[in-house]
PDB file of all heavy atoms in Angstrom:
ATOM      1  N   LYS A1288     -48.809 -12.968  18.084  1.00  0.00           N
ATOM      2  CA  LYS A1288     -48.603 -14.009  17.078  1.00  0.00           C
ATOM      3  C   LYS A1288     -47.276 -14.736  17.323  1.00  0.00           C
ATOM      4  O   LYS A1288     -47.200 -15.969  17.227  1.00  0.00           O
ATOM      5  CB  LYS A1288     -48.608 -13.349  15.703  1.00  0.00           C
ATOM      6  CG  LYS A1288     -48.648 -14.335  14.565  1.00  0.00           C
ATOM      7  CD  LYS A1288     -48.761 -13.603  13.248  1.00  0.00           C
ATOM      8  CE  LYS A1288     -48.434 -14.541  12.116  1.00  0.00           C
ATOM      9  NZ  LYS A1288     -48.286 -13.834  10.836  1.00  0.00           N
ATOM     10  N   TYR A1289     -46.255 -13.956  17.649  1.00  0.00           N
ATOM     11  CA  TYR A1289     -44.942 -14.539  17.943  1.00  0.00           C
ATOM     12  C   TYR A1289     -45.048 -15.506  19.113  1.00  0.00           C
ATOM     13  O   TYR A1289     -44.550 -16.632  19.060  1.00  0.00           O
ATOM     14  CB  TYR A1289     -43.972 -13.404  18.250  1.00  0.00           C
ATOM     15  CG  TYR A1289     -42.518 -13.794  18.368  1.00  0.00           C
ATOM     16  CD1 TYR A1289     -41.711 -13.857  17.241  1.00  0.00           C
ATOM     17  CD2 TYR A1289     -41.944 -14.068  19.604  1.00  0.00           C
ATOM     18  CE1 TYR A1289     -40.380 -14.193  17.339  1.00  0.00           C
ATOM     19  CE2 TYR A1289     -40.609 -14.410  19.710  1.00  0.00           C
ATOM     20  CZ  TYR A1289     -39.830 -14.462  18.575  1.00  0.00           C
ATOM     21  OH  TYR A1289     -38.506 -14.800  18.677  1.00  0.00           O
ATOM     22  N   ASN A1290     -45.722 -15.071  20.182  1.00  0.00           N
ATOM     23  CA  ASN A1290     -45.896 -15.938  21.351  1.00  0.00           C
ATOM     24  C   ASN A1290     -46.660 -17.202  20.985  1.00  0.00           C
ATOM     25  O   ASN A1290     -46.312 -18.297  21.441  1.00  0.00           O
ATOM     26  CB  ASN A1290     -46.635 -15.192  22.455  1.00  0.00           C
ATOM     27  CG  ASN A1290     -45.758 -14.135  23.096  1.00  0.00           C
ATOM     28  OD1 ASN A1290     -44.578 -14.058  22.809  1.00  0.00           O
ATOM     29  ND2 ASN A1290     -46.327 -13.328  23.955  1.00  0.00           N
ATOM     30  N   ALA A1291     -47.695 -17.034  20.154  1.00  0.00           N
ATOM     31  CA  ALA A1291     -48.489 -18.194  19.748  1.00  0.00           C
ATOM     32  C   ALA A1291     -47.622 -19.183  18.974  1.00  0.00           C
ATOM     33  O   ALA A1291     -47.698 -20.400  19.199  1.00  0.00           O
ATOM     34  CB  ALA A1291     -49.661 -17.734  18.889  1.00  0.00           C
ATOM     35  N   LEU A1292     -46.778 -18.668  18.081  1.00  0.00           N
ATOM     36  CA  LEU A1292     -45.913 -19.544  17.293  1.00  0.00           C
ATOM     37  C   LEU A1292     -44.952 -20.294  18.195  1.00  0.00           C
ATOM     38  O   LEU A1292     -44.671 -21.483  17.990  1.00  0.00           O
ATOM     39  CB  LEU A1292     -45.138 -18.721  16.264  1.00  0.00           C
ATOM     40  CG  LEU A1292     -45.939 -18.228  15.063  1.00  0.00           C
ATOM     41  CD1 LEU A1292     -45.157 -17.184  14.297  1.00  0.00           C
ATOM     42  CD2 LEU A1292     -46.261 -19.392  14.150  1.00  0.00           C
ATOM     43  N   ILE A1293     -44.434 -19.602  19.212  1.00  0.00           N
ATOM     44  CA  ILE A1293     -43.500 -20.258  20.130  1.00  0.00           C
ATOM     45  C   ILE A1293     -44.206 -21.347  20.910  1.00  0.00           C
ATOM     46  O   ILE A1293     -43.660 -22.441  21.116  1.00  0.00           O
ATOM     47  CB  ILE A1293     -42.836 -19.211  21.042  1.00  0.00           C
ATOM     48  CG1 ILE A1293     -41.859 -18.431  20.190  1.00  0.00           C
ATOM     49  CG2 ILE A1293     -42.146 -19.862  22.233  1.00  0.00           C
ATOM     50  CD1 ILE A1293     -40.829 -17.672  20.882  1.00  0.00           C
ATOM     51  N   GLN A1294     -45.460 -21.077  21.285  1.00  0.00           N
ATOM     52  CA  GLN A1294     -46.218 -22.130  21.977  1.00  0.00           C
ATOM     53  C   GLN A1294     -46.422 -23.334  21.078  1.00  0.00           C
ATOM     54  O   GLN A1294     -46.307 -24.484  21.513  1.00  0.00           O
ATOM     55  CB  GLN A1294     -47.565 -21.579  22.430  1.00  0.00           C
ATOM     56  CG  GLN A1294     -47.480 -20.954  23.811  1.00  0.00           C
ATOM     57  CD  GLN A1294     -48.842 -20.590  24.333  1.00  0.00           C
ATOM     58  OE1 GLN A1294     -49.834 -21.200  23.972  1.00  0.00           O
ATOM     59  NE2 GLN A1294     -48.880 -19.583  25.194  1.00  0.00           N
ATOM     60  N   GLN A1295     -46.720 -23.060  19.807  1.00  0.00           N
ATOM     61  CA  GLN A1295     -46.900 -24.135  18.838  1.00  0.00           C
ATOM     62  C   GLN A1295     -45.632 -24.963  18.704  1.00  0.00           C
ATOM     63  O   GLN A1295     -45.659 -26.191  18.686  1.00  0.00           O
ATOM     64  CB  GLN A1295     -47.253 -23.542  17.473  1.00  0.00           C
ATOM     65  CG  GLN A1295     -48.664 -23.032  17.376  1.00  0.00           C
ATOM     66  CD  GLN A1295     -49.638 -24.170  17.200  1.00  0.00           C
ATOM     67  OE1 GLN A1295     -49.395 -25.078  16.414  1.00  0.00           O
ATOM     68  NE2 GLN A1295     -50.708 -24.139  17.947  1.00  0.00           N
ATOM     69  N   ILE A1296     -44.503 -24.264  18.605  1.00  0.00           N
ATOM     70  CA  ILE A1296     -43.223 -24.953  18.403  1.00  0.00           C
ATOM     71  C   ILE A1296     -42.886 -25.772  19.644  1.00  0.00           C
ATOM     72  O   ILE A1296     -42.387 -26.905  19.552  1.00  0.00           O
ATOM     73  CB  ILE A1296     -42.121 -23.933  18.018  1.00  0.00           C
ATOM     74  CG1 ILE A1296     -41.421 -24.417  16.753  1.00  0.00           C
ATOM     75  CG2 ILE A1296     -41.121 -23.694  19.104  1.00  0.00           C
ATOM     76  CD1 ILE A1296     -40.546 -23.395  16.116  1.00  0.00           C
ATOM     77  N   ASN A1297     -43.188 -25.220  20.813  1.00  0.00           N
ATOM     78  CA  ASN A1297     -42.958 -25.968  22.050  1.00  0.00           C
ATOM     79  C   ASN A1297     -43.847 -27.211  22.107  1.00  0.00           C
ATOM     80  O   ASN A1297     -43.405 -28.276  22.524  1.00  0.00           O
ATOM     81  CB  ASN A1297     -43.224 -25.075  23.264  1.00  0.00           C
ATOM     82  CG  ASN A1297     -42.028 -24.204  23.582  1.00  0.00           C
ATOM     83  OD1 ASN A1297     -40.913 -24.519  23.175  1.00  0.00           O
ATOM     84  ND2 ASN A1297     -42.243 -23.130  24.297  1.00  0.00           N
ATOM     85  N   GLY A1298     -45.101 -27.044  21.657  1.00  0.00           N
ATOM     86  CA  GLY A1298     -46.005 -28.190  21.608  1.00  0.00           C
ATOM     87  C   GLY A1298     -45.487 -29.265  20.681  1.00  0.00           C
ATOM     88  O   GLY A1298     -45.551 -30.466  20.988  1.00  0.00           O
ATOM     89  N   HIS A1299     -44.927 -28.813  19.555  1.00  0.00           N
ATOM     90  CA  HIS A1299     -44.367 -29.740  18.577  1.00  0.00           C
ATOM     91  C   HIS A1299     -43.230 -30.542  19.203  1.00  0.00           C
ATOM     92  O   HIS A1299     -43.160 -31.767  19.084  1.00  0.00           O
ATOM     93  CB  HIS A1299     -43.882 -28.934  17.381  1.00  0.00           C
ATOM     94  CG  HIS A1299     -43.240 -29.749  16.314  1.00  0.00           C
ATOM     95  ND1 HIS A1299     -43.943 -30.631  15.533  1.00  0.00           N
ATOM     96  CD2 HIS A1299     -41.951 -29.849  15.924  1.00  0.00           C
ATOM     97  CE1 HIS A1299     -43.124 -31.213  14.689  1.00  0.00           C
ATOM     98  NE2 HIS A1299     -41.910 -30.768  14.902  1.00  0.00           N
TER      99      HIS A1299
END
Side-chain angles (χ1 to χ4, degrees):
Chain A
K1288 190 176 165 190
Y1289 189 86
N1290 288 353
L1292 286 167
I1293 288 198
Q1294 271 188 28
Q1295 285 282 316
I1296 232 168
N1297 278 339
H1299 178 69

